[in-house]
Amino acid sequence: MREICINEIAKSWLSIANALPDDNIIQILVLENIASYVDWIELDLVANDYIMSHIISKFQNSATSESATSAVCALLEKGMSAEKKVGLTLTIMTVLRQNGLLNVTDNDDEDEVTRVGSLVNTLGLVLLDVQNK
């Protein structure tokens, strides 16, 4: 039963987000929901092209970037084998770099610097955790 319900919940995230793409509150709630569920659902339900593309796209909006950061950090902190975690971390790091989401400039505001710092910190902690395992 739980498997069926969780699959439906994961599918509903994008349906809801795509139904109201300009509603920042809905987008934030979807991202926060993803971050909340990521610990106890199958990795493939979150770490896929559809969900990750949605999350990455929300970094571009200052209203949703903090929630997008939380979703990515929750995904990186998810419990899994060291091999899977390294692969996931490297993939996410590559996507973040390709989208310029790990860069800070002199013109960035405090929120942007905090967001990048949170991502870099989580990436570093995850890699240290894997090394210790």
Side-chain angles (χ1 to χ4, degrees), residues 12-111:
S12 71
W13 292 328
L14 283 182
S15 297
I16 293 167
N18 291 335
L20 299 161
D22 297 326
D23 188 331
N24 287 334
I25 293 172
I26 294 296
Q27 299 304 315
I28 290 168
L29 290 172
V30 167
L31 291 166
E32 289 176 356
N33 199 274
I34 291 169
S36 297
Y37 273 82
V38 79
D39 263 348
W40 53 279
I41 66 172
E42 291 296 320
L43 181 64
D44 296 343
L45 293 175
V46 182
N48 60 55
D49 290 341
Y50 306 108
I51 299 286
M52 290 307 297
S53 294
H54 175 73
I55 293 170
I56 296 301
S57 73
K58 298 307 166 189
F59 279 103
Q60 307 307 322
N61 181 339
S62 62
T64 58
S65 66
E66 183 178 339
S67 296
T69 301
S70 295
V72 169
C73 290
L75 181 58
L76 287 167
E77 293 168 345
K78 179 176 175 55
M80 64 188 83
S81 69
E83 294 82 21
K84 272 190 176 181
K85 187 158 294 219
V86 168
L88 177 66
T89 302
L90 292 175
T91 300
I92 289 176
M93 195 176 336
T94 300
V95 170
L96 293 173
R97 277 190 189 145
Q98 288 172 345
N99 287 280
L101 299 172
L102 295 177
N103 300 331
V104 177
T105 66
D106 292 339
N107 298 331
D108 288 335
D109 63 5
E110 182 180 332
D111 290 339

Side-chain angles (χ1 to χ4, degrees), residues 110-127:
E110 182 180 332
D111 290 339
E112 181 68 8
V113 173
T114 301
R115 183 194 59 75
V116 172
S118 181
L119 287 170
V120 171
N121 181 56
T122 302
L123 286 165
L125 289 174
V126 166
L127 291 174

